[in-house]
Amino acid sequence: MSQPTVLSERQGRVGVLTLNRPEQLNALNDTLMDALGAALLALDADDGIGAIVITGSDKAFAAGADIAAMADWGYMDVFSSAFITRNWETIRQVRKPVIAAVAGFAMGGGCELALACDLIVAAESAKFALPEVKLAMLPGAGGTQRLPRAIGKAKAMDMCLSARMLSAEEADRYGLVSRVVPSDALMAETLKLANTIAGFSLPALIAIKESVNRAWEGSLTEGVKFERHALYARFASADAHEGMHAFLEKRKPTFQHC
Protein backbone atom coordinates (compact mmCIF):
# COMPACT_ATOMS: atom_id res chain seq x y z
CA MET A 1 0.00 0.00 0.00
CA SER A 2 1.16 3.54 -0.73
CA GLN A 3 2.19 5.66 2.21
CA PRO A 4 0.04 8.65 3.22
CA THR A 5 1.38 11.91 1.82
CA VAL A 6 0.73 13.71 5.11
CA LEU A 7 1.32 12.22 8.56
CA SER A 8 -0.72 13.60 11.45
CA GLU A 9 -0.05 13.28 15.17
CA ARG A 10 -0.91 15.08 18.40
CA GLN A 11 1.50 16.27 21.05
CA GLY A 12 -0.59 17.71 23.85
CA ARG A 13 -2.60 20.62 22.43
CA VAL A 14 -0.40 20.75 19.33
CA GLY A 15 -1.20 19.03 16.06
CA VAL A 16 1.84 18.08 13.96
CA LEU A 17 1.52 17.52 10.20
CA THR A 18 4.51 16.03 8.39
CA LEU A 19 4.78 16.19 4.60
CA ASN A 20 5.62 12.66 3.50
CA ARG A 21 6.94 12.32 -0.04
CA PRO A 22 10.61 11.79 0.86
CA GLU A 23 11.71 10.37 -2.49
CA GLN A 24 10.39 13.51 -4.20
CA LEU A 25 11.76 15.84 -1.49
CA ASN A 26 8.12 16.51 -0.53
CA ALA A 27 7.24 18.02 -3.91
CA LEU A 28 3.70 19.32 -3.61
CA ASN A 29 1.13 17.65 -5.85
CA ASP A 30 -2.66 17.64 -5.71
CA THR A 31 -2.79 14.45 -3.65
CA LEU A 32 -0.55 15.92 -0.97
CA MET A 33 -2.26 19.30 -0.93
CA ASP A 34 -5.70 17.68 -0.70
CA ALA A 35 -4.47 15.62 2.26
CA LEU A 36 -2.82 18.62 3.90
CA GLY A 37 -5.96 20.72 3.54
CA ALA A 38 -8.15 18.00 5.03
CA ALA A 39 -5.74 17.49 7.93
CA LEU A 40 -5.56 21.23 8.62
CA LEU A 41 -9.35 21.56 8.71
CA ALA A 42 -9.66 18.52 10.98
CA LEU A 43 -7.19 19.99 13.49
CA ASP A 44 -8.83 23.41 13.24
CA ALA A 45 -12.16 21.82 14.19
CA ASP A 46 -10.64 19.85 17.09
CA ASP A 47 -11.33 21.58 20.43
CA GLY A 48 -8.32 19.84 21.94
CA ILE A 49 -5.86 21.52 19.57
CA GLY A 50 -4.56 25.05 20.11
CA ALA A 51 -1.78 25.29 17.51
CA ILE A 52 -0.64 23.42 14.40
CA VAL A 53 2.87 22.66 13.12
CA ILE A 54 3.66 21.79 9.50
CA THR A 55 7.06 20.23 8.82
CA GLY A 56 8.92 18.11 6.29
CA SER A 57 12.17 16.17 6.40
CA ASP A 58 15.73 17.10 7.30
CA LYS A 59 16.55 17.42 3.58
CA ALA A 60 13.51 19.37 2.49
CA PHE A 61 10.49 21.07 3.93
CA ALA A 62 9.15 20.95 0.38
CA ALA A 63 11.17 21.20 -2.82
CA GLY A 64 8.36 22.96 -4.66
CA ALA A 65 5.40 21.99 -6.80
CA ASP A 66 5.55 18.66 -8.60
CA ILE A 67 6.77 19.76 -12.04
CA ALA A 68 6.39 16.27 -13.51
CA ALA A 69 2.67 16.38 -12.78
CA MET A 70 2.08 19.69 -14.58
CA ALA A 71 4.60 19.76 -17.43
CA ASP A 72 1.98 18.98 -20.10
CA TRP A 73 -0.99 20.86 -18.69
CA GLY A 74 -2.67 23.51 -20.82
CA TYR A 75 -4.49 26.68 -19.84
CA MET A 76 -7.90 25.02 -19.61
CA ASP A 77 -6.46 22.24 -17.45
CA VAL A 78 -5.44 24.67 -14.74
CA PHE A 79 -8.34 27.09 -15.21
CA SER A 80 -11.14 24.53 -15.14
CA SER A 81 -9.65 22.64 -12.19
CA ALA A 82 -9.03 25.82 -10.14
CA PHE A 83 -5.39 24.82 -9.79
CA ILE A 84 -3.90 26.07 -6.49
CA THR A 85 -7.12 27.88 -5.52
CA ARG A 86 -8.95 24.59 -4.97
CA ASN A 87 -6.63 23.10 -2.35
CA TRP A 88 -3.49 25.19 -1.72
CA GLU A 89 -5.63 28.01 -0.34
CA THR A 90 -7.29 25.80 2.29
CA ILE A 91 -4.71 27.00 4.81
CA ARG A 92 -6.31 30.45 4.69
CA GLN A 93 -9.45 28.97 6.28
CA VAL A 94 -7.56 27.84 9.38
CA ARG A 95 -8.25 30.10 12.38
CA LYS A 96 -5.73 28.58 14.79
CA PRO A 97 -2.02 29.53 14.69
CA VAL A 98 -0.04 27.53 12.12
CA ILE A 99 3.75 27.24 12.42
CA ALA A 100 6.08 26.03 9.66
CA ALA A 101 9.12 24.11 10.93
CA VAL A 102 11.55 24.32 8.00
CA ALA A 103 14.74 22.34 7.49
CA GLY A 104 16.56 21.94 4.18
CA PHE A 105 14.98 23.21 1.00
CA ALA A 106 11.83 25.35 0.93
CA MET A 107 11.73 25.99 -2.80
CA GLY A 108 9.00 27.44 -4.98
CA GLY A 109 5.69 26.14 -3.70
CA GLY A 110 7.43 24.93 -0.55
CA CYS A 111 8.53 28.47 0.22
CA GLU A 112 5.03 29.72 -0.56
CA LEU A 113 3.49 27.14 1.79
CA ALA A 114 5.81 28.31 4.56
CA LEU A 115 4.88 31.94 3.80
CA ALA A 116 1.20 31.03 4.15
CA CYS A 117 1.82 29.89 7.74
CA ASP A 118 1.64 32.35 10.62
CA LEU A 119 5.20 31.80 11.85
CA ILE A 120 8.29 30.15 10.35
CA VAL A 121 10.86 28.47 12.57
CA ALA A 122 13.92 27.74 10.43
CA ALA A 123 16.70 25.26 11.08
CA GLU A 124 20.20 26.51 10.33
CA SER A 125 20.09 24.19 7.29
CA ALA A 126 17.01 25.88 5.81
CA LYS A 127 17.20 27.45 2.35
CA PHE A 128 14.44 29.55 0.78
CA ALA A 129 13.93 30.36 -2.90
CA LEU A 130 11.29 31.15 -5.52
CA PRO A 131 13.05 29.89 -8.66
CA GLU A 132 10.01 29.66 -10.97
CA VAL A 133 11.58 32.14 -13.41
CA LYS A 134 14.04 29.40 -14.40
CA LEU A 135 11.05 27.52 -15.88
CA ALA A 136 9.62 30.62 -17.57
CA MET A 137 6.94 30.60 -14.85
CA LEU A 138 6.19 32.77 -11.82
CA PRO A 139 5.30 32.06 -8.19
CA GLY A 140 1.57 31.42 -8.24
CA ALA A 141 0.64 30.23 -4.75
CA GLY A 142 0.85 33.68 -3.19
CA GLY A 143 4.61 34.14 -3.46
CA THR A 144 4.57 37.43 -5.36
CA GLN A 145 2.05 38.80 -2.84
CA ARG A 146 3.20 37.48 0.54
CA LEU A 147 6.96 37.78 -0.02
CA PRO A 148 7.01 41.59 -0.56
CA ARG A 149 4.87 42.02 2.55
CA ALA A 150 7.36 39.93 4.52
CA ILE A 151 10.71 41.28 3.26
CA GLY A 152 9.93 44.35 1.16
CA LYS A 153 9.69 44.99 -2.57
CA ALA A 154 13.42 45.21 -3.38
CA LYS A 155 14.43 41.90 -1.86
CA ALA A 156 11.28 40.18 -3.12
CA MET A 157 12.05 41.37 -6.65
CA ASP A 158 15.60 40.07 -6.28
CA MET A 159 14.41 36.62 -5.20
CA CYS A 160 11.67 36.34 -7.83
CA LEU A 161 13.57 37.82 -10.80
CA SER A 162 16.97 36.23 -10.19
CA ALA A 163 15.92 33.01 -8.40
CA ARG A 164 18.19 34.00 -5.52
CA MET A 165 18.34 31.49 -2.67
CA LEU A 166 18.41 32.71 0.92
CA SER A 167 20.17 30.94 3.75
CA ALA A 168 18.41 30.68 7.10
CA GLU A 169 20.55 33.51 8.46
CA GLU A 170 19.64 35.78 5.53
CA ALA A 171 15.97 34.85 5.82
CA ASP A 172 16.06 35.78 9.50
CA ARG A 173 17.82 39.08 8.81
CA TYR A 174 15.31 39.98 6.10
CA GLY A 175 12.29 39.17 8.28
CA LEU A 176 11.16 36.13 6.30
CA VAL A 177 11.34 33.79 9.30
CA SER A 178 10.40 34.20 12.95
CA ARG A 179 13.52 32.60 14.40
CA VAL A 180 16.47 30.34 13.50
CA VAL A 181 17.44 27.36 15.66
CA PRO A 182 20.11 24.63 15.47
CA SER A 183 19.15 21.99 12.93
CA ASP A 184 19.14 19.17 15.47
CA ALA A 185 16.81 21.15 17.72
CA LEU A 186 14.25 22.23 15.10
CA MET A 187 11.31 20.13 16.24
CA ALA A 188 12.09 20.46 19.93
CA GLU A 189 12.21 24.25 19.67
CA THR A 190 9.17 24.45 17.41
CA LEU A 191 7.11 22.23 19.68
CA LYS A 192 8.20 24.29 22.68
CA LEU A 193 6.95 27.42 20.91
CA ALA A 194 3.76 25.71 19.72
CA ASN A 195 2.96 24.41 23.20
CA THR A 196 3.51 27.86 24.67
CA ILE A 197 1.08 29.34 22.16
CA ALA A 198 -1.44 26.51 22.57
CA GLY A 199 -1.43 27.06 26.34
CA PHE A 200 -3.05 30.46 25.95
CA SER A 201 -6.77 31.08 25.49
CA LEU A 202 -7.78 29.86 22.03
CA PRO A 203 -10.34 32.62 21.38
CA ALA A 204 -7.66 35.20 22.20
CA LEU A 205 -5.20 33.50 19.83
CA ILE A 206 -7.77 33.53 17.04
CA ALA A 207 -8.55 37.21 17.66
CA ILE A 208 -4.85 38.09 17.56
CA LYS A 209 -4.28 36.12 14.35
CA GLU A 210 -7.27 37.75 12.66
CA SER A 211 -6.17 41.22 13.78
CA VAL A 212 -2.58 40.83 12.59
CA ASN A 213 -3.79 39.45 9.27
CA ARG A 214 -6.08 42.44 8.91
CA ALA A 215 -3.02 44.70 9.32
CA TRP A 216 -1.15 42.59 6.77
CA GLU A 217 -3.90 42.84 4.17
CA GLY A 218 -5.69 46.14 4.75
CA SER A 219 -5.40 49.80 5.69
CA LEU A 220 -4.31 51.14 9.08
CA THR A 221 -7.69 52.78 9.71
CA GLU A 222 -9.65 49.60 9.04
CA GLY A 223 -7.12 47.51 10.92
CA VAL A 224 -7.33 49.63 14.07
CA LYS A 225 -11.12 49.53 13.89
CA PHE A 226 -11.05 45.73 13.58
CA GLU A 227 -8.56 45.45 16.47
CA ARG A 228 -10.74 47.65 18.71
CA HIS A 229 -13.82 45.49 18.12
CA ALA A 230 -11.74 42.36 18.78
CA LEU A 231 -10.52 43.89 22.04
CA TYR A 232 -14.06 44.79 23.15
CA ALA A 233 -15.16 41.21 22.42
CA ARG A 234 -12.52 39.93 24.87
CA PHE A 235 -14.55 41.47 27.70
CA ALA A 236 -17.30 38.94 26.93
CA SER A 237 -14.79 36.11 27.38
CA ALA A 238 -14.53 34.05 30.58
CA ASP A 239 -10.86 33.42 29.78
CA ALA A 240 -10.07 37.14 29.70
CA HIS A 241 -11.57 37.67 33.14
CA GLU A 242 -9.75 34.58 34.42
CA GLY A 243 -6.48 35.89 32.98
CA MET A 244 -6.85 39.33 34.56
CA HIS A 245 -7.91 37.98 37.97
CA ALA A 246 -5.09 35.42 37.91
CA PHE A 247 -2.63 38.24 37.25
CA LEU A 248 -3.97 40.27 40.16
CA GLU A 249 -3.93 37.19 42.43
CA LYS A 250 -0.40 36.25 41.31
CA ARG A 251 -1.35 32.78 40.14
CA LYS A 252 -1.31 30.87 36.86
CA PRO A 253 -4.57 31.23 34.93
CA THR A 254 -6.72 28.23 34.06
CA PHE A 255 -8.16 28.83 30.63
CA GLN A 256 -11.33 27.09 29.43
CA HIS A 257 -10.94 28.39 25.87
CA CYS A 258 -14.19 30.29 25.94
Side-chain angles (χ1 to χ4, degrees), residues 42 48 50 82 104 108 121 123 133 141 151 170 184 206 209-210:
V121 179
V133 69
I151 67 175
E170 289 173 314
D184 60 1
I206 291 172
K209 175 173 174 172
E210 290 178 344

Side-chain angles (χ1 to χ4, degrees), residues 146-159 174-176:
R146 293 190 178 100
L147 188 64
R149 287 168 166 80
I151 67 175
K153 176 184 174 181
K155 290 182 172 62
M157 282 288 193
D158 191 357
M159 287 183 68
Y174 293 170
L176 178 61

Side-chain angles (χ1 to χ4, degrees), residues 74-112:
Y75 175 82
M76 285 307 299
D77 294 317
V78 293
F79 178 77
S80 61
S81 67
F83 175 53
I84 295 177
T85 305
R86 180 177 60 81
N87 46 16
W88 289 61
E89 292 292 303
T90 304
I91 194 170
R92 298 188 65 190
Q93 301 175 37
V94 178
R95 303 183 74 194
K96 295 173 181 176
V98 181
I99 305 170
V102 178
F105 295 108
M107 309 288 285
C111 183
E112 291 174 295

Side-chain angles (χ1 to χ4, degrees), residues 21-73:
R21 297 187 73 208
E23 294 182 2
Q24 296 81 22
L25 296 179
N26 293 328
L28 306 173
N29 61 8
D30 269 346
T31 300
L32 187 151
M33 295 309 294
D34 285 342
L36 179 61
L40 284 167
L41 293 179
L43 291 173
D44 200 39
D46 188 333
D47 291 338
I49 295 295
I52 302 168
V53 173
I54 301 176
T55 193
S57 68
D58 291 340
K59 291 184 178 180
F61 175 72
D66 192 339
I67 303 304
M70 65 178 74
D72 296 321
W73 290 349

